[in-house]
Amino acid sequence: MHQARKRFGQNFLIDGGVISGIVRALAPELTTHLLEIGPGLGALTLPLLTQVNHLDVLEIDRDLVHYWQEQKQKQTLIGLNIIEGDALEFDFQSWALRGKAAKQRSCIIGNLPYNISSPLLFHLISAAPWIDEQVFMLQAEVIERITASAGNSEYSRLSVMLQARYHVEQIMDVPPEAFEPKPKVNSAVMRMIPRRDFDLTEKEWTSLSRLVAMAFAQRRKMLRSNLFELQAELMLSEEELKARAQEITVERYIEWAKILVKTS
Ligand code: SAM
């Protein structure tokens, strides 16, 4: 019997309704190029395998990788490909490009380890141009931050950067009882679809990242102070100088990032 490991964020899904809700949310087709991050003991893996011809799963825990290799010998798990590795270092870009080359819909799914969720979401951005959809279970509080709009108290650097790259939408609330062991926090499921209107160059993206970090450095302070160094280049209006970082829309931050690159 596998002992859940805290350091790998192992909270296994046991609620059939939640499991089928997540699989339905992605609704993969037989030919979808699909990757599951962290298959664990297969709560999502097995139902997904009944829907696609081929499923890649990426798992860091060596014991679980062995478990899946054994399962493959014991039963027919046709189409299952186990990859041992750390999602924070995995080359999602090459993986996604393979799907696009074969003209397949490329999707990533997972009940993510909560301890690495933010860095993992940033790491996944490199593959966004070739990804069609991502469906992830995360800590509810993190999803609230990611999906918050300007003006909301949860609106943060994470909201701006991820909404600049994806359409994000919370699709389900999940209580701790849906897992074994039960996590101490509430969970939720989120859909992320890369924005087709995304047109930032690498320089503009770096500028956005720097600008947003500066703007949110001291949340209570006005932009007059947080963006002091950039106010001349950005030609901030009197109203904007008095605003706080959480009042500025994602689109306005994007415009500013483009201005900074143009004037540099
Ligand atoms: N999908 C299973 C479920 O829903 O029951 C397990 C989900 S559990 C929350 C997270 C899974 O991600 C575990 O299998 C864990 O070992 C794996 N994991 C943790 N850190 C990882 C990493 N850096 N790279 C790949 N997998 C990781």
Side-chain angles (χ1 to χ4, degrees):
M1 200 46 206
H2 179 80
Q3 276 290 328
R5 294 197 164 104
K6 229 180 172 172
R7 73 174 187 282
F8 291 144
Q10 290 178 355
N11 297 96
F12 300 117
L13 266 171
I14 52 166
D15 183 312
V18 172
I19 294 167
S20 53
I22 296 174
V23 174
R24 261 202 320 271
L26 186 73
E29 292 160 10
L30 276 179
T31 56
T32 301
H33 183 52
L34 182 59
L35 173 68
E36 184 193 0
I37 300 175
L41 292 167
L44 296 170
T45 319
L46 296 176
L48 285 169
L49 255 189
T50 66
Q51 311 221 348
V52 292
N53 289 333
H54 181 92
L55 173 63
D56 291 316
V57 297
L58 173 61
E59 177 59 64
I60 196 169
D61 185 335
R62 220 171 262 175
D63 288 348
L64 288 175
V65 172
H66 286 156
Y67 165 83
W68 282 107
Q69 280 157 350
E70 269 172 31
Q71 291 301 308
K72 272 190 87 162
Q73 282 166 2
K74 280 192 206 152
Q75 49 177 317
T76 41
L77 295 173
I78 299 166
L80 181 66
N81 177 41
I82 304 138
I83 307 166
E84 181 178 345
D86 182 349
L88 288 175
E89 285 171 14
F90 186 71
D91 184 356
F92 288 104
Q93 184 172 339
S94 300
W95 178 86
L97 273 166
R98 281 200 294 282
K100 278 299 125 185
K103 297 201 164 32
Q104 288 169 299
R105 185 173 161 73
S106 287
C107 301
I108 305 181
I109 192 166
N111 168 14
L112 298 186
Y114 295 171
N115 48 347
I116 58 161
S117 55
S118 296
L120 180 54
L121 291 173
F122 276 100
H123 179 51
L124 280 159
I125 288 176
S126 63
W130 306 282
I131 292 291
D132 291 285
E133 189 171 339
Q134 300 177 159
V135 171
F136 293 137
M137 168 101 74
L138 291 167
Q139 202 174 318
E141 205 180 275
V142 175
I143 294 194
E144 213 181 307
R145 270 173 43 217
I146 293 172
T147 55
S149 319
N152 184 306
S153 62
E154 296 303 314
Y155 187 66
S156 60
R157 177 177 165 257
L158 195 62
S159 335
V160 178
M161 296 309 291
L162 291 178
Q163 288 178 35
R165 193 65 195 85
Y166 301 92
H167 294 288
V168 293
E169 175 199 9
Q170 171 168 343
I171 47 181
M172 203 193 298
D173 286 317
V174 183
E177 293 70 37
F179 304 85
E180 184 53 50
K182 284 187 206 141
K184 291 200 180 80
V185 293
N186 287 321
S187 303
V189 179
M190 166 179 69
R191 188 195 310 281
M192 306 176 82
I193 298 184
R195 287 175 57 162
R196 293 296 158 222
D197 62 348
F198 179 83
D199 62 356
L200 295 186
T201 60
E202 230 177 284
K203 264 193 174 168
E204 288 167 341
W205 178 258
T206 308
S207 147
L208 178 70
S209 178
R210 192 176 137 242
L211 164 72
V212 173
M214 283 170 78
F216 281 94
Q218 285 172 291
R219 291 179 71 88
R220 284 168 195 281
K221 292 213 168 161
M222 292 182 197
L223 294 183
R224 182 193 299 285
S225 138
N226 284 350
L227 296 184
F228 180 75
E229 289 167 45
L230 305 175
Q231 53 176 282
E233 282 157 279
L234 291 177
M235 295 197 289
L236 299 181
S237 67
E238 207 34 55
E239 208 180 313
E240 285 169 338
L241 286 169
K242 283 194 211 140
R244 288 175 175 79
Q246 67 260 38
E247 294 166 78
I248 305 297
T249 63
V250 174
E251 303 317 307
R252 190 70 178 131
Y253 279 117
I254 291 176
E255 280 170 19
W256 285 346
K258 290 181 176 174
I259 293 174
L260 287 178
V261 171
K262 245 189 228 145
T263 56
S264 65

